[in-house]
Every structure is written in structure tokens, then in C-alpha cells.
Amino acid sequence: MTATCSVFLFAGIPHSTTILFLWVFVAVVTIALLAMLYYQVRKHKRLSFEIGQLSGMKRHTVEHEMVLKAMKLVTWRLDAHTRQIVYDSDFRDAPDSYVPQPGIPIEEFVKQFSAKDAPIIQKKLIDLCEGRTEEYHEQHQVKASHGDRMYWTESFATIAERDAEGKPSVIVGTAMRIDERKKLETELISARIKAEESDRLKSAFLNNISHEIRTPLNAIVGFSGVLQFAEDDEERAHLVSLIQENNDKLLKIFEDVVNMSSIEAGDAEIEKTAFDVDAVIRELIEEAKEHLNDRPIDLSYVCEKSPLIITSDPDRVKGIVNHFLDNAIKFTDKGSITVRCEFQPNNMLRISVKDTGRGIAEEDLERIFDRFVKLDVFVQGVGLGLPVCRSFANAIGGNVGVESVVGKGSTFWLDLPSNVLK
């Protein structure tokens, strides 16, 4: 039947024309097949390229997400036309981080910020939306989602898309918590200030101690030279007394320096034992009376219990009370000095030294326990006695303090745990 159809199809057509027609038909079919093959090859290449692009985008998305997680960032978008903000991804690990409702307006968004930062951030975002700036970077405080606590955050934003007129249409931004960084910055600033203050105090100490050492040393050398020319026993005894007095002053200076050095080096030894604190104070009172130099000062002592046996370091307690007494005598010209030993409601034993001397200004009450601080540069001392007293008191579980009124006098006190032995 096929042969019959072929004969019928080409009947009446010359043989050469038939062959030509067949060649043309084959050529057209071949070209069509080649065109289809070329199209398929190009389509395959294009699909392969797009698949590669998609794989790359997926890889970049994963990498992008890893960066966000590692940096603990939150990303957000701002519609420049509607001025509404939407948070996209949030990888912050703090549960109290502020997360606004989707589509929140700028003016509502910044209400969670501190009163100082809110208007600044709002203006920055509006400037971005209106194209006045290309990007912004700010550090500011945000109110936590729970409670009234404020935390620090660092924000970045830039223009991501523009409309046909070239105006900003989409703003993208990120934010991250920086509480630890701010804490570290504060600590570094505090450390720098302390270092600068320490350097200043060191210079003041070296300048002060050189003068304080020179004064008694010159007196010792001078009076020792005069001693050999003394003509009678009374004059000789007076010179020896002056030499001894300046020896004591010089020894006190060196003791303060050594004590402070041992405290800072952590070598100060504390040896607690049972002792009669009442007897120790009475001994100090008798010694202090010898330094009044006939001044009209009534030196008295009141104790609620005698004997009063406590467990502590007797040398440290004695040194602290003795320094309080020395200061009271040094700054009191007339009136009274009263030493008291009494129990406090907080289960502490307080030893206080009250005088009617010149007193201390309120702004200096805490400062006098700092190293090298001298309120009166004309009075003997290097400004280490009270800092040493505070350090020793803390070491034995106690504390020291002062109450004072200018022109009326001061009360220095030492509080000790009242572990009284019956």
C-alpha cells in the first residue's frame, strides 16, 4: 500500500524533481532538528546556570544566617513610604530583648528607647526615609521587654532599594546587644581613672613623705649635735626627750609605709586570740595622757563591761584605737576626748574615740580614708594612718567610720564582731 501511495503522490512528476523535493524536505527536517537541539542545549545551559545560582543563593543564605547567629543580630526592614518597621530575623540570645509588633510606625517604635536616645533615632530614620542620609550607626539604650531595666544596643541601617524616581523605598538595618561591651568600657574607664589617681597620689606621697621624714630627721640630727654642749642635767634631759619624740614620729611614718606595703602585697598577717580589750584600751589611755602636754583636755574612758574578753587580733585592734587617739590629741587644743566601749544592736562591739576638736567637713568624711589624703598639710603625717586602719579593720572582720561636725569635733569608731567570751 505504501508503494501505491508513493506512486500516486509523485505521479506525473518528473523523477529529478522528485529527488530534489526529497532533498529539500530532508534538509528542512534536519535544520529543524538542529534548531531544536540547539534550543535544548541552550535551555539546558540556562537551567544549569539558574540551578547554580539557586545553589549559590542557598549557600549564601546559610552563610548569611550563620553570620547573624554568630553575631547575635536582629535584622529589620523599614518601608520608606509608610514609615513602618518589620523585624525579619532575630538571633539575639537575651530573652528580654525588645521585639516590636510587625508594621509598627517609627514614632511608636522609638518609644521603647531611652528619653535621651528616642528623638535622635527617630530623626536618623526619617532622614534615611527622605534620602537626606545614606546610612546611620548609633549606640543607644532600650527598655527591656520585662521590667524597667534598660539595656544597650548598637544599630546599623542603610538604603536597600529606591523607586523609579530614585527616592528610598526600603531601608534595611541590624541591631545587636552590647551590654558586655559597655560594661567592659565602664570598667576600663574606671581602671584608667584609678591608675591616673594612683599615679597622682604616688607623686603626692613621694613629695609629702620626703618632707615628713626630713622634719623629724633634721630635729634628731640637730638636737643630737647640741646634746654634747648641754651644761646641766635638766637641759640634757629636755634634749633627749625631744630626740625621743622625733624618733617616735619617724618610726610612726615608717610603720605606716610598711603596713600599707604589706597590705597591698597581701602579706599582712592576722593572728586572732582571746584578750581583754578593756585592759588594752586602759593602757592606751595612760600612754595618751603623757602626750597631752598640759593642754586643758579631759581624757576619759567608759566601758560597759570589765574585763571584756574578745577573740580578735590584739595588735591590730590596739593599733587602730591608738591611731584614733593620736589624731584626737593632734587636732584637739582644749575640751575633752572620750573613749567608749559599748555593744551595738547589730551584734557588734563598738570602740569609739570622740573629741571636741576642729572637726571635719562633710565632703571630706569618706575621703580621709583614702591613701595619702591630708586635710591639713601643716600637720605631721603622710596620710596613710586611716587607710591602714580601714584595711586592718576589714581584715579582722570589722569596719571603721567617722561622724563629724566642723567646729564641734569628731567621733572615730571601730566595730568588731562581739564574740565575747564569758
Side-chain angles (χ1 to χ4, degrees), residues 324 365-366 369 390 399-403 411-415:
F324 289 169
L365 289 179
E366 184 63 25
F369 288 99
R390 168 172 281 183
N399 191 21
V400 294
V402 60
E403 298 171 358
T411 301
F412 283 85
W413 47 263
L414 165 65
D415 280 352

Side-chain angles (χ1 to χ4, degrees), residues 216-230:
L217 194 58
N218 285 341
I220 293 169
V221 173
F223 291 133
S224 297
V226 175
L227 183 60
Q228 59 181 322
F229 300 108

Side-chain angles (χ1 to χ4, degrees), residues 36-206:
M36 290 179 63
L37 180 62
Y38 177 73
Y39 173 76
Q40 291 295 330
V41 171
R42 288 198 60 185
K43 186 176 181 180
H44 176 73
K45 288 182 177 181
R46 184 174 180 181
L47 287 174
S48 298
F49 175 76
E50 290 179 351
I51 291 173
Q53 289 287 93
L54 289 173
S55 298
M57 290 177 63
K58 183 178 180 181
R59 184 177 66 255
H60 289 318
T61 300
V62 173
E63 293 173 353
H64 175 69
E65 186 172 323
M66 287 181 63
V67 171
L68 292 178
K69 286 182 178 179
M71 297 295 293
K72 300 177 182 179
L73 295 172
V74 58
T75 60
W76 49 268
R77 286 176 169 269
L78 167 62
D79 189 316
H81 300 304
T82 63
R83 309 287 173 87
Q84 294 180 342
I85 295 174
V86 176
Y87 273 34
D88 293 330
S89 304
D90 190 353
F91 294 99
R92 295 173 296 179
D93 56 1
D96 61 346
S97 297
Y98 170 53
V99 180
Q101 293 294 327
I104 187 172
I106 291 177
E107 56 271 15
E108 293 294 325
F109 174 67
V110 300
K111 285 183 178 179
Q112 198 75 3
F113 299 168
S114 68
K116 175 185 176 183
D117 298 321
I120 298 174
I121 303 302
Q122 182 173 350
K123 183 179 184 304
K124 296 274 188 179
L125 293 176
I126 292 175
D127 287 345
L128 275 173
C129 291
E130 296 180 357
R132 287 193 289 269
T133 58
E134 292 290 326
E135 58 184 26
Y136 98 99
H137 170 212
E138 288 291 331
Q139 294 181 358
H140 54 92
Q141 288 186 295
V142 184
K143 184 179 178 182
S145 299
H146 313 295
D148 297 327
R149 193 178 72 86
M150 303 293 289
Y151 66 85
W152 279 96
T153 188
E154 186 171 21
S155 300
F156 303 84
T158 188
I159 300 172
E161 298 178 15
R162 295 180 180 270
D163 57 21
E165 298 178 357
K167 296 180 179 180
S169 59
V170 177
I171 310 298
V172 296
T174 63
M176 63 187 298
R177 296 279 294 259
I178 56 170
D179 301 277
E180 290 300 321
R181 189 199 307 173
K182 282 295 181 180
K183 180 181 177 182
L184 181 60
E185 287 178 3
T186 302
E187 290 175 352
L188 288 174
I189 291 173
S190 177
R192 178 178 59 81
I193 293 174
K194 287 183 178 179
E196 291 174 351
E197 179 67 8
S198 178
D199 185 64
R200 184 189 68 80
L201 291 175
K202 186 186 296 183
S203 299
F205 167 70
L206 292 175

Side-chain angles (χ1 to χ4, degrees), residues 251-261 382 384-385 388:
L251 180 61
K252 182 66 170 61
I253 292 173
F254 284 115
E255 283 180 349
D256 286 344
V257 173
V258 171
N259 285 333
M260 182 56 69
S261 298
V382 293
L384 287 177
V388 168

Side-chain angles (χ1 to χ4, degrees), residues 157-309:
T158 188
I159 300 172
E161 298 178 15
R162 295 180 180 270
D163 57 21
E165 298 178 357
K167 296 180 179 180
S169 59
V170 177
I171 310 298
V172 296
T174 63
M176 63 187 298
R177 296 279 294 259
I178 56 170
D179 301 277
E180 290 300 321
R181 189 199 307 173
K182 282 295 181 180
K183 180 181 177 182
L184 181 60
E185 287 178 3
T186 302
E187 290 175 352
L188 288 174
I189 291 173
S190 177
R192 178 178 59 81
I193 293 174
K194 287 183 178 179
E196 291 174 351
E197 179 67 8
S198 178
D199 185 64
R200 184 189 68 80
L201 291 175
K202 186 186 296 183
S203 299
F205 167 70
L206 292 175
N207 179 63
N208 188 33
I209 198 172
S210 63
H211 169 73
E212 296 297 337
I213 291 176
R214 188 184 303 115
T215 301
L217 194 58
N218 285 341
I220 293 169
V221 173
F223 291 133
S224 297
V226 175
L227 183 60
Q228 59 181 322
F229 300 108
E231 297 180 354
D232 55 56
D233 292 341
E234 183 179 351
E235 183 181 1
R236 187 177 293 104
H238 177 64
L239 291 173
V240 170
S241 174
L242 291 175
I243 292 172
Q244 184 60 47
E245 180 183 340
N246 283 277
N247 274 333
D248 292 341
K249 290 179 180 179
L250 195 59
L251 180 61
K252 182 66 170 61
I253 292 173
F254 284 115
E255 283 180 349
D256 286 344
V257 173
V258 171
N259 285 333
M260 182 56 69
S261 298
S262 64
I263 290 170
E264 292 188 344
D267 295 332
E269 296 182 358
I270 302 297
E271 296 182 3
K272 292 187 177 182
T273 185
F275 70 100
D276 185 358
V277 68
D278 174 65
V280 169
I281 296 175
R282 291 183 185 278
E283 180 183 345
L284 291 175
I285 293 290
E286 293 304 316
E287 293 177 0
K289 288 180 179 179
E290 299 177 2
H291 297 91
L292 293 178
N293 298 325
D294 298 326
R295 280 179 289 174
I297 299 175
D298 179 24
L299 180 55
S300 60
Y301 171 55
V302 179
C303 185
E304 291 186 357
K305 181 180 176 63
S306 180
L308 184 55
I309 310 299

